[in-house]
Amino acid sequence: MWDMDLSVFKNALSAVLVALCGVVGCTNGLPPEPPRTLQIQQTWELKPGDTLAGHRIIGGLGDISIALSGDKTLYAPLDGRLQPHSPDCVIFSSEELPIYLFRLCGVQNPHWGQIRSREKLGTANILNLAVLNRLSDGKWAFVEPSKQIIEQMLQPPNTAFMPTP
Amino acid sequence: MFLNQLPKIAKQKLEPMLVGGFLLAAASLMLFSLSEPTARVRPVNPALFCEEMVLPKAQLSGEQLAKLLTVPEPAARTKVQEILKQPYCRLPSLSVRVGAITDRDAYPLAFDPQTWLVVLYEGENYVGYGFKRF
């Protein structure tokens, strides 16, 4: 009898929590992702987010610009975390690969927080992608991204290289 | 006479308190488990992230970890491998930047098996480490 009462209580509580999340827009009750800040070694004069002659800069030196076709979806290249960075850009990082960061500018509908490998990161019409490498002083430097890692972000899971059998 | 009645009165008041206390405890336990589902300990399934098993008995001691943390990055791959010995498994190697392949060895921590150390090498260099939580 106790078991039945408790399960009813638990279901009712879950329903209330789900309803609350629907109203206030929470994700599993977790707090929103904090922005990721970083210091880039190369200090270019123009960066994404800057304005010049009244026009917005959406990419910079060190970015690869990609016009996405099809369903315009981006995928996580490995297990990691997506965090806000600036009004136009987000940062994808991974505890399995902490010496690199992926700066993605132009991402829409970002899936903030922990993301499993090959899950959706968001969508983009024009993606400006930069790969940053951690230096010994803690700053980050632009490096040339490999075709393989970019492909893993662009190809849906069934056609892309699968890292685990 | 009064003394004889005291335990009975106490017993009568105690029962609803016990039931109420039990309900409160059960409710708070359930609230806790609902709000923090990741806090529960789950067995780690290495097959989900390992590409190649090396030494399934391998575990990293606190002493080995402390030694690793004193090694500056980059360092010689052999120097770090001497400290850490054989890994539990290898994660898939990655090509992130042109001209470099990142090899990744993984070790469960002996004092916290839900946390794994991932050690990164590029060529003959040790280039960094990270902790993967399960």
Side-chain angles (χ1 to χ4, degrees), chain B residues 58 60 84-88 105-109 115-117 119 121:
Chain B
L60 203 70
L84 302 180
K85 313 295 179 198
Q86 293 265 66
Y88 179 99
D105 287 358
Y107 303 79
L109 301 185
T115 303
W116 287 54
L117 177 79
V119 185
Y121 303 102

Side-chain angles (χ1 to χ4, degrees), chain B residues 25-47:
Chain B
S28 42
L29 266 176
M30 260 180 285
L31 260 178
F32 183 73
S33 68
L34 276 174
S35 61
E36 282 191 49
T38 51
R40 275 174 288 173
V41 174
R42 293 176 309 249
V44 177
N45 182 2

Side-chain angles (χ1 to χ4, degrees), chain A residues 95-96 98 100 144 146 164, chain B residues 95-98 122 129 132:
Chain A
E95 52 196 0
E96 293 174 16
Y100 292 107
E144 187 183 4
S146 73
T164 46
Chain B
S95 167
V96 182
R97 68 184 163 98
V98 173
E122 286 182 349
Y129 65 88
K132 189 171 169 63

Side-chain angles (χ1 to χ4, degrees), chain B residues 17-113:
Chain B
M17 273 178 72
L18 273 175
V19 172
F22 171 73
L23 277 177
L24 201 68
S28 42
L29 266 176
M30 260 180 285
L31 260 178
F32 183 73
S33 68
L34 276 174
S35 61
E36 282 191 49
T38 51
R40 275 174 288 173
V41 174
R42 293 176 309 249
V44 177
N45 182 2
L48 288 177
F49 60 93
C50 288
E51 187 184 57
E52 180 196 344
M53 296 304 243
V54 181
L55 190 65
K57 280 182 186 171
Q59 276 192 326
L60 203 70
S61 70
E63 196 186 339
Q64 283 172 301
L65 183 61
K67 264 190 196 170
L68 174 74
L69 301 188
T70 64
V71 178
E73 301 152 12
R77 184 179 187 137
T78 48
K79 186 181 174 182
V80 170
Q81 284 175 332
E82 247 171 59
I83 298 170
L84 302 180
K85 313 295 179 198
Q86 293 265 66
Y88 179 99
C89 72
R90 295 205 169 91
L91 273 55
S93 293
L94 293 168
S95 167
V96 182
R97 68 184 163 98
V98 173
I101 300 286
T102 312
D103 298 323
R104 302 180 297 161
D105 287 358
Y107 303 79
L109 301 185
F111 50 93
D112 181 8

Side-chain angles (χ1 to χ4, degrees), chain A residues 36-133:
Chain A
R36 170 80 189 226
T37 56
L38 57 113
Q39 204 181 349
I40 296 178
Q41 190 206 31
Q42 298 103 320
T43 49
W44 312 135
E45 209 166 281
L46 281 176
K47 300 173 289 297
D50 289 353
T51 308
L52 186 66
H55 301 282
R56 198 157 49 94
I57 305 296
I58 58 168
L61 199 52
D63 287 334
I64 302 268
S65 300
I66 305 163
L68 275 85
S69 57
D71 68 357
K72 301 174 189 296
T73 304
L74 295 164
Y75 303 90
L78 63 166
D79 289 1
R81 181 182 185 187
L82 193 69
Q83 291 174 278
H85 174 58
S86 64
D88 290 314
C89 307
V90 301
I91 296 284
F92 180 76
S93 61
S94 172
E95 52 196 0
E96 293 174 16
L97 193 74
I99 60 168
Y100 292 107
L101 285 181
F102 299 83
R103 187 184 73 182
L104 303 104
C105 304
V107 175
Q108 294 151 356
N109 314 307
H111 291 225
W112 300 127
Q114 297 293 334
I115 303 182
R116 305 282 300 174
S117 175
R118 316 303 303 136
E119 282 180 357
K120 286 181 185 180
L121 279 179
T123 58
N125 288 313
I126 302 286
L127 172 72
N128 287 292
L129 168 72
V131 173
L132 297 147
N133 193 190

